[in-house]
Amino acid sequence: MAIHELDDLDRAILHALQHDARKMSTSTIAERMDVAPSTVRTRIKSLEDDGVLTGYHAEINYEQTGLQLHTLILCTAPVPERERLAEQAQEVSGVVAVREVMTGNENVHIEAVGQDGDDLNRIGRELDEIGLTIEDEDIIRNEYETPYERFAVQD
Amino acid sequence: MAIHELDDLDRAILHALQHDARKMSTSTIAERMDVAPSTVRTRIKSLEDDGVLTGYHAEINYEQTGLQLHTLILCTAPVPERERLAEQAQEVSGVVAVREVMTGNENVHIEAVGQDGDDLNRIGRELDEIGLTIEDEDIIRNEYETPYERFAVQD
DNA sequence: TATGAAAGGTTGAACCC
DNA sequence: GGGTTCAACCTTTCATA
């Protein structure tokens, strides 16, 4: 797909939605940028259609719900199969994020949530069954997401 | 903070908001779960107040905007300073996510977006200056987020 | 806690520039 | 491209059980 070039309005929209995708209304962004709300809506639609905005997700602190086993599983996939295996890994119950990395080893990073040790063993086994080699497994203690600061627009 | 125990309605809400935090209305969730919309709103407020729902973020495909350098920077922090350094790393311009990991080495994983090589050098230098040791740096090729399937409620 | 009703804000679609 | 209008929908607030 072709690159979507961003202007100041696009960047302001992306920054606002990274900050709070649920409560940030198109009217608020519009007012801040001095355009009509429908202009912001059209831009968002176009950013979605062009694959720039790919989703809006709630950030959850699993530990607060009693799920203590929020883990990072480092896996290795044969390079030609990496993309397919990364997609398949998403289907494993408990997996909440997958990142493909361009490196020699440990080229698929998987975030998974387990209810107990048995559950984690099951997740490990299923990842192994689809063809991923598990190299390491660690507890994620904390996770922060923050907007890309270069998208911010000066007032 | 005390653990927030989840019931079926809480889980359904979390699942729905993980799937689409922006377009999923409280009324839609309410209808699906056969409760009043205001009940769903009260629950969401309570999940936010208890630190279970910690944010709503847009997912962005940086490559589609011409930013080719979406990277994963693996760092090591002395354990007693890990939390503080992880928080400070968020302030570095270009950093979009930070994960603290409970492991011996490479215990802080940083996701950053660079405009070019010079920009990445600057990010590396700033992380080094706050006290993080950079162990490795890789290009992120693809990233997927998916709801925690165990929060799904059967129809 | 859950609900329902009134007021105000937001959205999407159609139309115009 | 951007703006205006308006009906439908959503959210906020608060009184009630």
Side-chain angles (χ1 to χ4, degrees), chain A residues 102-103, chain B residues 71-74 120-121 124 134-139:
Chain A
M102 302 272 270
T103 182
Chain B
T71 63
L72 181 66
I73 307 174
L74 304 180
L120 278 189
N121 288 339
I134 296 176
E135 307 287 350
D136 205 354
E137 192 163 347
D138 298 299
I139 300 288

Side-chain angles (χ1 to χ4, degrees), chain A residues 52-85:
Chain A
V52 175
L53 273 170
T54 56
Y56 307 99
H57 304 289
E59 187 176 28
I60 292 174
N61 184 337
Y62 293 99
E63 287 67 31
Q64 279 300 108
T65 70
L67 289 161
Q68 304 271 351
L69 299 174
H70 186 185
T71 62
L72 181 65
I73 307 173
L74 305 180
C75 304
T76 300
V79 174
E81 295 180 74
R82 182 184 55 202
E83 186 159 6
R84 182 177 62 78
L85 295 181

Side-chain angles (χ1 to χ4, degrees), chain B residues 35-36 38-39 43:
Chain B
V35 293
S38 50
T39 305
R43 293 296 191 100

Side-chain angles (χ1 to χ4, degrees), chain B residues 81-96:
Chain B
E81 296 180 73
R82 183 184 55 202
E83 186 159 9
R84 183 178 60 78
L85 294 180
E87 272 168 29
Q88 273 188 263
Q90 277 187 102
E91 307 303 320
V92 173
S93 176
V95 169
V96 295

Side-chain angles (χ1 to χ4, degrees), chain B residues 118-150:
Chain B
D118 283 351
D119 199 28
L120 278 189
N121 288 339
R122 194 254 318 150
I123 293 171
R125 193 177 54 247
E126 292 188 24
L127 292 174
D128 189 77
E129 277 165 10
I130 65 175
L132 286 161
T133 306
I134 296 176
E135 307 287 350
D136 205 354
E137 192 163 347
D138 298 299
I139 300 288
I140 295 176
R141 195 202 143 87
N142 241 324
E143 195 169 18
Y144 317 94
E145 262 186 81
T146 187
Y148 181 47
E149 211 213 4
R150 304 226 147 195

Side-chain angles (χ1 to χ4, degrees), chain A residues 18 21-22 55 59 115 150, chain B residues 21-22 55 57 59 115 150:
Chain A
Q18 275 186 303
R22 187 164 177 82
E59 187 176 28
Q115 313 193 82
R150 305 224 146 196
Chain B
R22 187 164 177 81
H57 303 289
E59 187 176 30
Q115 314 194 81
R150 304 226 147 195

